[in-house]
Amino acid sequence: MSLNRDQSSRLYSEAQQYFPGGVNSPVRAFKSVYGSPLFIRNGHGAMIYDEDGNQFVDFCGSWGPLILGHNHPVIKDEVIRTIENGLSFGAPTVHGNALGKIIVDNHRFIDKLRFVSSGTEAVMSAIRLARGYTGKNKIIKFEGCYHGHVDSLLVKAGSGLATFGVSTSLGIPKGFIDETIVLQLNDLARFEEVLASSSDSIACVILEPIPANNGLLLQDNNYLAWLRLLCDQYGVLLIFDEVISGFRVGFEGASGYYNIQPDLITMGKIIGGGMPVGAFGGKAEIMKKISPEGDVYQAGTLSANPVAMTAGLACLNICLQPDFYQDQEKRTKTFVRKIESHIDAQGYDMHIPQIGSIFWLAFGKKRIVTPDDINSDSMGLFKELHRYLLDHGVYLGPSGYEVGFVSMSHTPQLLERSAEIICNALDHIFKR
Ligand SMILES: *Cc1c(COP(=O)(O)O)cnc(C)c1O
């Protein structure tokens, strides 16, 4: 049984006339899997429905924001109520205060924050702040961490021992790239060497404490704690990019999960409950450098607009309910264990890294900590897996490097059924 994609195919051809590659964000184009993108008409709870009337259990969750599932009634009602009063004023509102308060009151490591409208904007602003605060220019990033489409972060490691990277996009001046040092995750010796030789010129280190944009590259708590220690020792700021992990593995994100205090934290995705919201925040002493209090400029026409703030507040209020995160983790673990026991019983060459409600279907048995550990040859298998799953009503992100997300709306029954379908899909791809 193969999916009827007539409407989606027609709409995708139409979209090609308007948008480069027919999309407004590249991974949506289904370049790494079979077929063309599905046009989604609506979503409800854990389910999405496309323009051909197909339905899917959604494990993509709009790439992370939808920790409550689609169209959660509380978010919907609150947003509609706020909309009655207008969409944006470019002036302070009670809604911004309310979302600010709930975050500052419930996050040990955020004294002050500023709202923006995307994760990319949060990262870009946090880096400017780190540079403004320290008076230094260079930044360290890690191979395998994604931080949005910020110019100076679209960089990968150069070949051999070259310290400076090469850009991963056209249009980025070499001068920007020269300010970025790219290192490997989980290599503390090299990290210390670079700080020891160059900390005079390094403003900050940025990483995803739970790297989840290039597979799920779970790091050791000790490694992260050492990064913190060395940054302090050498006078370099530590930025945790928690656009994915924030409010996902706990209300305090990875910082709380590992109990490590970064100097600045960037947030996005869940913080807006499905609306465009990002934020950066952290130590008061650093945040006070942001204009108008300080001289690091940062602004936004639609920043903290009341509708987006309302969606974020409704979402985070539910996240704060007792046992919310324990329950998320429990359901996700049961789901992952069911698939893993099938993998083990059948001897398939795979495993499933998982943390909180994030999971990743990883090919190979070896623990994966850096991008080098990923077997890129296996992505052909992922393509087959993806096709089978779409045909059988399970929607994963359209690339083997994307993680899956479980939401509050994924009931144990739905997860059990989805796990069965995934097990069947594995039988299909490994026994073909
Ligand atoms: C998604 C993501 C970003 C970019 O956020 P956008 O809202 O897409 O600009 C930055 N950093 C991390 C860790 C992300 O997962």
Side-chain angles (χ1 to χ4, degrees):
M1 79 182 164
S2 175
L3 213 57
N4 171 12
R5 304 190 189 210
D6 293 351
Q7 290 306 322
S8 283
S9 303
R10 182 183 64 73
L11 290 162
Y12 187 51
S13 315
E14 186 189 325
Q16 317 253 14
Q17 300 168 40
Y18 313 134
F19 315 120
V23 290
N24 291 284
S25 194
V27 71
R28 295 180 196 173
F30 270 45
K31 290 289 181 217
S32 319
V33 292
Y34 292 111
S36 55
L38 303 180
F39 276 63
I40 305 303
R41 183 191 300 170
N42 63 317
H44 196 79
M47 306 300 294
I48 50 174
Y49 305 85
D50 72 10
E51 292 288 349
D52 289 286
N54 302 303
Q55 60 172 33
F56 307 91
V57 183
D58 180 22
F59 288 99
C60 180
S62 190
W63 304 95
L66 304 184
I67 193 165
L68 306 186
H70 293 271
N71 210 9
H72 191 280
V74 175
I75 298 183
K76 187 174 95 177
D77 290 350
E78 298 276 318
V79 163
I80 290 172
R81 220 154 46 132
T82 301
I83 281 176
E84 301 281 356
N85 295 321
L87 299 184
S88 178
F89 310 108
T93 67
V94 294
H95 308 284
N97 278 13
L99 187 56
K101 177 175 167 55
I102 193 179
I103 295 171
V104 169
D105 283 356
N106 293 285
H107 198 309
R108 279 172 296 161
F109 307 138
I110 297 180
D111 304 332
K112 286 228 169 120
L113 77 166
R114 172 155 290 175
F115 289 118
V116 294
S117 297
S118 72
T120 295
E121 212 187 334
V123 169
M124 185 184 81
S125 308
I127 284 176
R128 183 181 309 132
L129 174 58
R131 286 173 164 155
Y133 178 80
T134 60
K136 300 187 278 186
N137 285 339
K138 290 201 193 311
I139 60 182
I140 293 180
K141 72 151 279 187
F142 294 88
E143 194 88 353
C145 288
Y146 174 71
H147 303 291
H149 63 94
V150 178
D151 279 338
S152 56
L153 292 172
L154 291 176
V155 183
K156 64 177 196 278
S159 54
L161 287 175
T163 303
F164 294 104
V166 292
S167 73
T168 54
S169 166
L170 291 179
I172 299 181
K174 183 172 174 299
F176 292 17
I177 301 304
D178 290 348
E179 302 299 341
T180 304
I181 300 168
V182 185
L183 299 180
Q184 300 299 327
L185 286 163
N186 200 36
D187 182 350
L188 208 54
R190 177 77 184 127
F191 181 77
E192 180 157 21
E193 207 176 282
V194 170
L195 284 196
S197 68
S198 316
S199 65
D200 286 355
S201 56
I202 299 171
C204 66
V205 174
I206 183 165
L207 85 158
E208 289 182 85
I210 297 176
N213 279 286
N214 197 310
L216 183 57
L217 311 174
L218 294 175
Q219 303 297 301
D220 289 330
N221 199 339
N222 275 341
Y223 167 69
L224 297 171
W226 268 107
L227 291 182
R228 172 67 284 179
L229 219 68
L230 288 171
C231 283
D232 278 341
Q233 192 182 324
Y234 285 98
V236 168
L237 296 189
L238 178 64
I239 304 177
F240 275 3
D241 182 355
E242 298 229 43
V243 173
I244 276 196
S245 54
F247 312 106
R248 171 59 69 176
V249 297
F251 195 88
E252 294 179 321
S255 317
Y257 191 94
Y258 296 120
N259 198 24
I260 294 172
Q261 177 168 19
D263 297 291
L264 292 171
I265 299 175
T266 55
M267 292 157 278
K269 299 194 170 118
I270 292 172
I271 198 175
M275 298 285 281
V277 181
F280 60 102
K283 295 181 176 166
E285 176 206 334
I286 302 172
M287 289 303 291
K288 75 179 184 203
K289 292 284 180 194
I290 286 285
S291 59
E293 198 171 341
D295 293 326
V296 175
Y297 188 70
Q298 198 287 326
T301 302
L302 294 174
S303 293
N305 79 81
V307 185
M309 294 290 103
T310 297
L313 181 65
C315 177
L316 294 194
N317 259 321
I318 293 174
C319 293
L320 275 175
Q321 286 173 1
D323 297 333
F324 177 87
Y325 288 104
Q326 288 89 324
D327 184 54
Q328 286 279 99
E329 168 132 49
K330 199 171 124 210
R331 275 179 293 111
T332 308
K333 273 213 161 96
T334 308
F335 167 69
V336 163
R337 280 215 195 97
K338 181 166 164 100
I339 306 168
E340 276 202 313
S341 60
H342 186 72
I343 287 171
D344 292 343
Q346 299 296 318
Y348 296 150
D349 191 20
M350 284 191 79
H351 72 294
I352 310 181
Q354 170 264 329
I355 185 169
S357 48
I358 310 175
F359 68 93
W360 179 47
L361 301 173
F363 291 90
K365 284 284 184 210
K366 211 179 106 212
R367 182 173 165 220
I368 297 180
V369 184
T370 76
D372 290 347
D373 300 331
I374 300 176
N375 173 7
S376 54
D377 296 343
S378 62
M379 291 304 158
L381 282 172
F382 180 82
K383 262 176 98 160
E384 301 296 334
L385 181 73
H386 188 265
R387 173 157 67 186
Y388 182 99
L389 289 176
L390 275 191
D391 285 346
H392 293 80
V394 171
Y395 189 96
L396 293 183
S399 153
Y401 292 93
E402 300 296 343
V403 297
F405 299 100
V406 169
S407 81
M408 191 180 94
S409 303
H410 289 77
T411 60
Q413 296 76 8
L414 198 60
L415 287 170
E416 164 106 29
R417 176 82 197 104
S418 304
E420 273 166 26
I421 296 171
I422 292 171
C423 292
N424 293 341
L426 296 179
D427 293 345
H428 175 75
I429 63 167
F430 282 113
K431 293 179 178 163
R432 280 152 49 81

